[in-house]
Amino acid sequence: MLLRYLLEPKAGKEKVVLKLKNLESSVSTGRKWFRLGNVVHAVQATQQSFQTTDLVPRFCLTLANLNRVVYFICDTVLWVRSVGLASGINKEKWRLWAARHYYYALLLSLVRDLYELSLQMEQVTQHRTQRENSASRGPPGHCVADEETEWLQSFLLLLFRSLKRHPPLLLDTVKNICDILNPLDQLGICKSNAGIIGLAGLVSSVAGLITVVCPQMKLKAC
């Protein structure tokens, strides 16, 4: 999709763009085929989320996985129609349902990420306070010219340090943000062009590959 978006404005690339469109359609159908077993995986993930000790992640993960179950069911129905096994299926209606439940699942996953991030920021703040107290130094002699700017810089620094000390959280947050752009576009909530969707999908795929190659980079439920 990203390559097609980059090549479409260029003259003489019509055949290449057409081939990319056909390839995109074929990959989409193949991806749905490989995702047929994900319904079972989503059901198992829902059962595992009940064992999460923290209430907020348990609530978010359970609802997110339930929405993923519905999403994969809708995706399977769309695959059945695309391969010609059933012709009486309303494609647009099922596609809208799939996008809606995928959006809900990602939104809940992002809420969980924000909650985990708030815990990390709280820990970083506590550690910094302890270091400052143990240093037993006098008050810094700086002049605050702009409190709003200083607050923003402090917040961004705290955010950076919190994500730096928890790479799996950073990776999961980036992946969910990239993934949610597609249903946002399909539902008309926030329209994006094919280039942004393709780039976000590429970043999300790389993030997913990292969690496969390095399982310790996958965000685990606490």
Side-chain angles (χ1 to χ4, degrees):
M1 184 185 294
L2 180 60
L3 287 174
R4 176 169 60 85
Y5 173 79
L6 295 175
L7 292 177
E8 272 181 341
K10 297 183 179 181
K13 299 293 183 179
E14 291 80 7
K15 291 184 178 180
V16 179
V17 170
L18 181 59
K19 289 182 179 179
L20 287 174
K21 285 183 178 180
N22 294 332
L23 177 61
E24 184 181 335
S25 177
S26 300
V27 170
S28 177
T29 302
R31 188 171 62 246
K32 286 181 173 60
W33 166 257
F34 286 114
R35 285 204 302 238
L36 291 179
N38 283 355
V39 176
V40 178
H41 175 72
V43 172
Q44 293 175 345
T46 304
Q47 294 173 345
Q48 293 174 359
S49 63
F50 282 115
Q51 302 174 2
T52 305
T53 56
D54 199 325
L55 180 61
V56 175
R58 185 197 311 165
F59 175 79
C60 293
L61 289 174
T62 301
L63 288 183
N65 288 322
L66 286 174
N67 277 281
R68 287 184 187 276
V69 171
V70 180
Y71 162 68
F72 286 129
I73 292 175
C74 295
D75 200 55
T76 301
V77 173
L78 289 171
W79 174 81
V80 169
R81 186 193 183 284
S82 65
V83 296
L85 295 179
S87 57
I89 296 174
N90 189 328
K91 182 178 179 180
E92 293 304 320
K93 182 179 70 174
W94 283 94
R95 180 179 293 175
L96 183 63
W97 284 353
R100 183 180 294 115
H101 286 284
Y102 188 41
Y103 167 71
Y104 292 154
L106 291 172
L107 189 62
L108 287 163
S109 297
L110 279 172
V111 172
R112 183 263 183 122
D113 289 337
L114 290 176
Y115 175 76
E116 297 286 353
L117 180 58
S118 67
L119 295 181
Q120 292 296 321
M121 294 175 72
E122 183 179 356
Q123 292 179 9
V124 171
T125 302
Q126 292 176 353
H127 291 162
R128 186 178 61 183
T129 303
Q130 292 174 357
R131 287 197 304 268
E132 290 176 352
N133 292 336
S134 62
S136 65
R137 294 180 300 182
H142 69 278
C143 178
V144 180
D146 191 343
E147 294 183 359
E148 292 185 359
T149 302
E150 183 178 353
W151 178 87
L152 179 60
Q153 291 176 348
S154 300
F155 174 78
L156 292 177
L157 181 60
L158 178 61
L159 179 63
F160 171 76
R161 288 176 176 174
S162 302
L163 292 174
K164 182 180 179 181
R165 72 193 301 264
H166 201 327
L169 177 58
L170 172 61
L171 201 64
D172 192 73
T173 304
V174 170
K175 186 178 186 304
N176 286 329
I177 291 175
C178 291
D179 285 340
I180 204 170
L181 293 179
N182 192 20
L184 283 175
D185 179 71
Q186 291 180 343
L187 295 173
I189 299 175
C190 181
K191 301 297 291 184
S192 302
N193 58 46
I196 295 177
I197 299 296
L199 180 60
L202 180 61
V203 174
S204 174
S205 298
V206 173
L209 285 174
I210 292 176
T211 60
V212 173
V213 176
C214 304
Q216 66 273 17
M217 293 295 291
K218 185 177 179 61
L219 184 62
K220 297 177 176 59
C222 56

